[in-house]
Amino acid sequence: MKLYDRDYTILTSDEEAEFRLLKEQEIINEVSNKFRKPLFHKYPKAVRHYMSLFPNNYMDIFELQDREELSNILALFQQLLNSEDANERSILKFISEHRAYFIIASLLRNYFHFGHHATYLFPEFQLGNSYKADYLIIGRSSGGHEFVFVELEALEGNGIILTEGELGEVFRKGIKQLRDWQSWLDSYYFSLKETFDKSKRAEIPLPDEFVKMDSSRLHYVVIAGKRYKFTDNTYKIRRRDHMQTNILLLHYDNLIDAATDVIGKKTY
């Protein structure tokens, strides 16, 4: 479930030395270490990952400033979505091969109100032996961590939106799957601790929200179809379902819009 080829739970000797030097430069009052000038923006990339709760799943906010590279990746992603053979598997493959994880993580900034303190992404996140989310996004704010389980469904097809804007089989299938996840989490959320323990930095204990079930911290997203398929009635159904079930129904154009918006921003 790690995102990167490198293991960011380990620093090189040079990175450790640079980290120690920067920590010393942060000290304003040598008598008391309580007064520090944060220099996080100067930390090497490896150190920023290393300091996080999940070093190998950390989404580095400074990479959002690479506007040209991210815009080029997003343009290629749009080309894929416009191709005739685009499907869930090709979309997942593209994001993995191009390290285009910012596309999925961008959902936090546009549809949720957490993640500006830290963002983590887990692809193919296993829920026991029965279920697997395409992605789990974890965002931290002043209120702690919250969790977004994401399921990708078909891009095109007659079973996405029916006449009069009703949800077709594709969306209904995705919603059923997420409801199954909700039921599983209600009963077995505590078992995820073992999974998180394997990915976290050893020196940092898991916060309570990773161990104790709190449904108000759990959110769910199904992505299917394109904007032109959605009608006023579809959006009405989306609003209703989000309020009643905490399942957010999006189309792939929503994902493109979110990814476009996050490029150049300071946080997710």
Side-chain angles (χ1 to χ4, degrees):
M1 291 190 298
K2 59 185 292 188
L3 298 181
Y4 312 105
D5 295 328
R6 170 177 174 172
D7 183 1
Y8 283 112
T9 64
I10 302 171
L11 295 178
T12 66
S13 57
D14 288 343
E15 289 164 348
E16 288 180 343
E18 186 173 0
F19 185 28
R20 286 194 298 269
L21 179 61
L22 286 168
K23 295 296 286 183
E24 292 173 0
Q25 292 176 0
E26 287 182 332
I27 299 174
I28 297 175
N29 187 337
E30 295 184 1
V31 177
S32 173
N33 284 342
K34 292 182 179 180
F35 300 98
R36 310 182 71 92
K37 177 179 65 176
L39 296 176
F40 183 77
H41 63 288
K42 292 187 176 181
Y43 290 176
K45 173 180 173 61
V47 171
R48 295 195 295 269
H49 280 261
Y50 174 78
M51 291 179 62
S52 71
L53 181 58
F54 301 108
N56 290 318
N57 300 86
Y58 174 69
M59 297 296 296
D60 188 1
I61 57 175
F62 290 96
E63 292 184 353
L64 292 175
Q65 302 308 312
D66 196 342
R67 292 175 172 83
E68 183 176 356
E69 180 180 356
L70 298 187
S71 296
N72 289 338
I73 291 174
L74 189 56
L76 292 174
F77 185 63
Q78 286 181 291
Q79 289 180 20
L80 171 64
L81 296 186
N82 292 330
S83 65
E84 294 182 356
D85 56 349
N87 55 43
E88 308 98 284
R89 300 264 54 96
S90 63
I91 291 170
L92 291 167
K93 181 180 179 182
F94 177 95
I95 292 173
S96 175
E97 291 183 348
H98 289 79
R99 299 291 194 269
Y101 302 116
F102 79 97
I103 293 175
I104 299 297
S106 70
L107 293 173
L108 286 192
R109 184 177 184 86
N110 278 261
Y111 295 100
F112 302 96
H113 302 291
F114 50 87
H116 47 283
H117 288 185
T119 299
Y120 306 96
L121 187 71
F122 290 80
E124 299 184 321
F125 188 82
Q126 197 73 36
L127 299 174
N129 297 320
S130 303
Y131 307 111
K132 181 169 62 178
D134 287 328
Y135 298 99
L136 168 62
I137 314 170
I138 301 175
R140 180 171 64 86
S141 63
S142 55
H145 296 83
E146 299 191 37
F147 308 82
V148 182
F149 296 88
V150 181
E151 173 70 8
L152 303 185
E153 292 290 349
L155 185 69
E156 292 285 3
N158 295 326
I160 297 175
I161 302 295
L162 304 179
T163 56
E164 298 183 357
E166 295 291 330
L167 301 181
E169 178 61 25
V170 171
F171 264 120
R172 292 200 299 270
K173 170 178 167 286
I175 292 170
K176 180 185 182 305
Q177 186 152 310
L178 266 63
R179 285 175 175 163
D180 289 340
W181 298 356
Q182 288 174 325
S183 296
W184 187 92
L185 289 165
D186 284 339
S187 300
Y188 302 108
Y189 183 83
F190 65 90
S191 68
L192 295 182
K193 180 181 184 300
E194 182 179 352
T195 302
F196 289 129
D197 277 337
K198 292 177 181 178
S199 299
K200 78 175 184 67
R201 182 180 162 197
E203 298 87 349
I204 306 178
L206 277 177
D208 286 345
E209 55 265 33
F210 288 87
V211 181
K212 298 177 181 179
M213 172 66 174
D214 179 354
S215 60
S216 70
R217 294 183 182 273
L218 307 184
H219 312 268
Y220 307 87
V221 176
V222 179
I223 304 176
K226 290 188 174 181
R227 179 178 282 119
Y228 76 91
K229 293 269 189 179
F230 279 51
T231 69
D232 288 343
N233 190 44
T234 311
Y235 288 114
K236 179 180 179 180
I237 294 170
R238 179 166 89 171
R239 291 190 297 270
R240 182 198 65 199
D241 282 10
H242 194 202
M243 286 190 297
Q244 293 179 354
T245 68
N246 205 23
I247 295 175
L248 177 61
L249 308 178
L250 299 176
H251 48 65
Y252 281 95
D253 292 295
N254 289 140
L255 186 58
I256 289 291
D257 292 343
T260 300
D261 180 66
V262 82
I263 295 175
K265 296 298 192 297
K266 294 182 178 180
T267 63
Y268 283 98

